[in-house]
Amino acid sequence: MRTKVTIVVPAYNAERWLRDALSSAAAQTYEAHEIIVVDDGSEDHTGEIARSFGNKIIYIKQSNQGVSAARNTALRAATGDWIALLDSDDLFDPEKLEKQVAVIEANPELVVVYSAFQYLYSNGKTHQMPSFPAVQLWPGLRYRTPILPSTSMIRRSALEEVGGFSTEYHHGEDWELWFRLVRRYSAKAFQDVPENLTTYRHWENNVTRNFARTAAAALRLLDTVLLEDLSGIQRTIWKRKIESRIFYHVSLNYREVENERYWAYAIESFLKWPLWGAVVPADRYKAFAFMLYTKLRNFRLSRNYWWPERRCRESLTRQAVPSEVSVS
C-alpha cells in the first residue's frame, strides 16, 4: 500500500519565503498525500500566498499560538501515515519524499527519518551539514539536538502517542520532541539519510538566530527534561557538559556579531567542562585556541600595545572633542 505523507507547514508572517517553500513541497517526485499550511495569526500576506496554491494545499487559520501549537493543529487535521515537517522559510529537494519513503518502506520499524541539509546564507553561499549518525543519537541527544525539523519525517501514530509537540517551549521544542521519541522508541527507531535533501535559510531575521532566547530555552530544557532520569554524580557531570556546550555556542554567536561578551562565555564554557570525549567534540578546543590566539594577538600587537587602554583613550578623546569641531 502506498505510504501517505502529510507535509506540515506552520507559517507566521511568512510572506517573504512561503511561496518558495510551498512550491518545493508541491514539486516532489513522490507526491504528498496532502500539504497542510497552518497560518498562526499572520498579519501580512501569508494567507493570500497559501490560498493561491488552490486545492494543492489545505489552509487553516488560527490565532497566534506559536509553532508547536500550529504543528499540533496540522497533526489533528492530518490523514497521512507520516508527517514531513517543513518550516515556511526552508526548501525541500525535489526527491526528498521519494528518498525518505524508500528508507521507510525498507525499514517498517522506524518512527523518524531525517537527512543531511545545507545552509543557504543571504549572500548566496551555502554550507553542507552531514546527517548525524542515528546510532549515536543516544546519549548524544542528551547533549545536543542534531536533527533539523525540516529534514525529518515522523510516523504520525508515534507522534500522537507521545502527545505531539509541547507548547511549553517556544524555542527548543524540536529537541524536546526528539528526546521524548528516542526515550520511548530508542535510537534504533531513527534513521539518518546521508544525502542533502533540505535547504535551510540562514538569514538575518531568522528566529533561530536569536541565540540568547535559544540558549535560555536550552537551559530550561536542561532543568526540566534532559536530566530527569539522572541523579547524583551522573546528573552533575551531564549538567556541566550541557551547560558548557550552551555557553560555547553563545560565545560563538556573540563573536559572530562582534560583541566582546563572547570571551566571558568562552571562559565560562571551558570552566564548566574542560575535557572532551564521546559526546563533546574536539573541534570546540580548536575554536577556543583560535579565540585565545586572537585575544593575545590583539593584546600584544595592537598599535597602542594595551588594547583595553587604547579603547579607554579613544573614548576619552571622543568626549574631549567639541561636537562643532572637525577633526581630520
Side-chain angles (χ1 to χ4, degrees):
M1 186 173 68
R2 188 177 188 273
T3 299
K4 297 178 180 178
V5 179
T6 297
I7 299 176
V8 167
V9 187
Y12 174 69
N13 290 344
E15 64 179 9
R16 184 177 182 184
W17 304 118
L18 182 60
R19 189 177 302 279
D20 290 344
L22 294 182
S23 295
S24 75
Q28 292 295 296
T29 55
Y30 184 96
E31 186 177 0
H33 172 63
E34 57 197 1
I35 303 171
I36 301 177
V37 177
V38 178
D39 183 345
D40 191 41
S42 297
E43 298 173 345
D44 61 2
H45 298 291
T46 291
E48 296 172 29
I49 293 169
R51 288 191 294 269
S52 73
F53 283 79
N55 59 11
K56 291 182 179 180
I57 66 121
I58 298 169
Y59 174 75
I60 302 172
K61 179 72 178 278
Q62 68 179 28
S63 60
N64 182 243
Q65 300 170 53
V67 65
S68 290
R71 286 171 176 163
N72 285 336
T73 296
L75 179 60
R76 288 190 292 271
T79 59
D81 308 310
W82 286 77
I83 303 296
L85 300 179
L86 174 61
D87 285 346
S88 60
D89 51 356
D90 293 341
L91 300 167
F92 280 171
D93 180 88
E95 297 183 338
K96 179 184 188 295
L97 297 192
E98 180 180 348
K99 291 182 176 181
Q100 291 188 313
V101 166
V103 172
I104 288 165
E105 292 181 345
N107 302 275
E109 75 285 355
L110 295 177
V111 299
V112 177
V113 177
Y114 60 96
S115 73
F117 67 96
Q118 69 171 355
Y119 281 107
L120 174 61
Y121 296 94
S122 56
N123 61 7
K125 293 184 179 180
T126 61
H127 177 70
Q128 307 301 312
M129 292 296 294
S131 58
F132 187 86
V135 294
Q136 298 178 23
L137 274 177
W138 193 256
L141 194 59
R142 195 193 298 276
Y143 182 68
R144 69 182 182 95
T145 176
I147 303 174
L148 182 73
S150 291
T151 70
S152 70
M153 286 177 54
I154 312 165
R155 188 183 295 275
R156 180 165 65 95
S157 59
L159 193 50
E160 291 172 337
E161 184 174 347
V162 298
F165 292 87
S166 172
T167 57
E168 188 177 346
Y169 304 95
H170 296 295
H171 291 268
E173 65 282 334
D174 51 309
W175 189 4
E176 192 268 348
L177 174 67
W178 309 137
F179 195 83
R180 275 187 286 138
L181 285 169
V182 82
R183 292 289 305 279
R184 171 64 181 82
Y185 295 100
S186 87
K188 293 179 180 179
F190 287 64
Q191 181 60 56
D192 60 291
V193 177
E195 293 149 292
N196 170 18
L197 302 178
T198 300
T199 295
Y200 168 74
R201 293 187 191 271
H202 196 277
W203 53 286
E204 301 81 42
N205 296 319
N206 193 317
V207 69
T208 57
R209 291 203 63 195
N210 189 330
F211 52 87
R213 282 193 287 179
T214 301
L219 289 170
R220 189 174 174 214
L221 280 172
L222 176 61
D223 294 334
T224 59
V225 175
L226 302 179
L227 304 178
E228 63 180 359
D229 60 327
L230 298 178
S231 61
I233 188 64
Q234 266 196 321
R235 185 183 181 92
T236 299
I237 288 173
W238 272 104
K239 186 174 189 296
R240 294 185 71 88
K241 283 182 180 180
I242 299 168
E243 286 176 334
S244 175
R245 184 196 63 81
I246 294 169
F247 292 137
Y248 167 63
H249 283 282
V250 171
S251 173
L252 292 182
N253 280 283
Y254 269 130
R255 190 170 184 273
E256 184 178 347
V257 298
E258 299 181 351
N259 187 314
E260 284 297 324
R261 295 178 68 186
Y262 84 86
W263 184 243
Y265 280 99
I267 294 296
E268 183 69 13
S269 173
F270 191 78
L271 292 176
K272 284 288 182 183
W273 193 258
L275 308 175
W276 67 85
V279 298
V280 183
D283 285 350
R284 185 177 72 139
Y285 302 92
K286 295 178 184 177
F288 279 152
F290 183 77
M291 288 181 191
L292 180 60
Y293 165 75
T294 303
K295 268 292 187 189
L296 292 175
R297 183 185 62 186
N298 290 341
F299 183 76
R300 292 292 183 184
L301 301 181
S302 67
R303 185 176 57 187
N304 293 314
Y305 192 79
W306 303 104
W307 68 266
E309 181 183 349
R310 182 185 66 176
R311 291 189 172 187
C312 291
R313 287 188 179 191
E314 289 173 350
S315 178
L316 288 173
T317 300
R318 286 194 300 269
Q319 294 178 56
V321 177
S323 59
E324 68 272 18
V325 176
S326 176
V327 179
S328 59

